[in-house]
Amino acid sequence: MSTRTRPGWLEKPKPVTQAGKALALATVVLLVCVPFLVIVSTSLASQREVVDNGGWVLWPQEPTLKAYRDILDGGIVTHALGVSVVVTVIGTLLSLSCTALLAYALARPHVVGGRPALLLILFTFLFPPGIIPNFLLVKELGLLNSYASLVLPVMINVFNLVVLRGFFQGIPEELHEAAKLDGAGDWRVLWTVVLPLSKAALAVVGLFYAVAYWNSWFYASLYLESDRWPLQQVLRTYVVAGSGLTDTTAGDGAVTAPQTIQMAVLVIATVPILMVYPFLQKYFTKGVLTGAIKS
């Protein structure tokens, strides 16, 4: 009489295995949370605490928002923050709209020129243009020192396009046919049938675009002058290049340490994405997996 063994993934984990997983998870959490706690704590610390602790503070005894008031008091960081917000919102809306339209066209069967267009798009994904051709193109289009240079050259991302196209292909053809029988055209089918069923994929792609626009600094350094930089380029100047990091003294004589200014700018640049992600997390896995499987 033969005994059937259960697959390994169906077996109940041993206590040693569970303890190892818990230890590994706790280690990862500490590696992620402790540096972020140090950043936030240092941004709230006073000059004396920063000096006494060698530049880094784990838990401030006298928390203060002076660093945030200094950098948001109508200076370069305030302007850069506004630039980043506008570029991220407008860029994400434009990119998501154009990507959805193109993905829907490429997902429909028997579209004239659909296959060659898809191959051409995938070719640009495998062989992207270099920095110099990009710069020359932006210059010839008259986009230098214009915020459009941060959006138009990267408006459609091929990976996001493939994800949306795969998701659209997974929608049953019967729904398209039923809508066509009711007299709906392609635009109405896209608006009333396809997009409402694709909220997961749209949320994921929108998050990808928003993060890319928000974190973009390289193109700003190429195309924009310093007075038009977004927040991430200003952050790089503050933290990496060390420019403008002399001690800041307010009218009351209080001094803000350069490390505190650095960490405050870093917090301002990080928190917006951290606040958006939890609302889209439930769509993340579903949207990516569905689009990737179908593509």
Side-chain angles (χ1 to χ4, degrees):
M1 181 177 180
S2 61
T3 59
R4 180 178 300 177
T5 60
R6 302 174 66 187
W9 60 84
L10 294 179
E11 295 290 342
K12 184 178 181 180
K14 299 179 180 179
V16 176
T17 304
Q18 291 180 320
K21 292 180 179 179
L23 179 61
L25 181 60
T27 303
V28 172
V29 171
L30 290 176
L31 290 176
V32 173
C33 292
V34 171
F36 188 74
L37 176 62
V38 171
I39 291 173
V40 175
S41 299
T42 304
S43 70
L44 298 174
S46 62
Q47 164 77 2
R48 182 178 58 82
E49 288 182 301
V50 173
V51 174
D52 292 343
N53 290 274
W56 302 101
V57 179
L58 182 60
W59 191 263
Q61 300 298 322
E62 303 173 358
T64 175
L65 296 176
K66 182 181 181 305
Y68 293 94
R69 290 195 297 267
D70 289 342
I71 63 179
L72 294 177
D73 190 20
I76 184 174
V77 176
T78 305
H79 178 266
L81 179 61
V83 170
S84 291
V85 170
V86 172
V87 170
T88 300
V89 173
I90 295 179
T92 300
L93 292 177
L94 288 176
S95 295
L96 191 59
S97 301
C98 294
T99 304
L101 291 175
L102 183 57
Y104 178 71
L106 295 177
R108 302 302 301 143
H110 312 301
V111 174
V112 178
R115 188 69 177 179
L118 179 61
L119 293 178
L120 182 61
I121 293 172
L122 293 178
F123 180 83
T124 63
F125 181 66
L126 297 175
F127 303 97
I131 298 176
I132 296 178
N134 272 330
F135 180 83
L136 294 177
L137 177 61
V138 170
K139 181 180 179 181
E140 290 299 321
L141 293 177
L143 298 178
L144 286 180
N145 204 30
S146 170
Y147 294 128
S149 62
L150 304 180
V151 177
L152 295 181
V154 293
M155 182 175 292
I156 296 180
N157 181 276
V158 179
F159 173 78
N160 296 335
L161 176 67
V162 171
V163 170
L164 269 187
R165 175 179 176 269
F167 198 97
F168 290 163
Q169 287 179 324
I171 297 177
E173 185 65 26
E174 290 78 8
L175 295 178
H176 295 270
E177 296 176 355
K180 293 292 182 63
L181 290 177
D182 291 337
D186 288 329
W187 284 100
R188 187 170 181 82
V189 172
L190 174 63
W191 185 258
T192 60
V193 177
V194 176
L195 294 183
L197 295 176
S198 307
K199 292 180 180 179
L202 293 174
V204 171
V205 171
L207 178 63
F208 284 163
Y209 276 125
V211 172
Y213 281 119
W214 182 262
N215 290 334
S216 178
W217 63 270
F218 181 71
Y219 291 118
S221 65
L222 292 179
Y223 305 143
L224 301 180
E225 296 181 359
S226 59
D227 59 339
R228 302 173 69 88
W229 278 350
L231 183 61
Q232 299 301 332
Q233 179 61 17
V234 173
L235 171 64
R236 180 181 181 275
T237 304
Y238 269 77
V239 177
V240 178
S243 176
L245 292 180
T246 57
D247 290 353
T248 303
T249 305
D252 56 359
V255 178
T256 303
Q259 294 90 340
T260 305
I261 297 293
Q262 287 179 330
M263 297 305 105
V265 176
L266 187 57
V267 170
I268 293 176
T270 306
V271 166
I273 293 298
L274 294 180
M275 294 176 62
V276 172
Y277 181 78
F279 297 99
L280 302 178
Q281 185 179 9
K282 62 180 180 180
Y283 300 111
F284 195 85
T285 303
K286 179 181 178 182
V288 172
L289 289 181
T290 305
I293 292 173
K294 290 300 296 182
S295 60

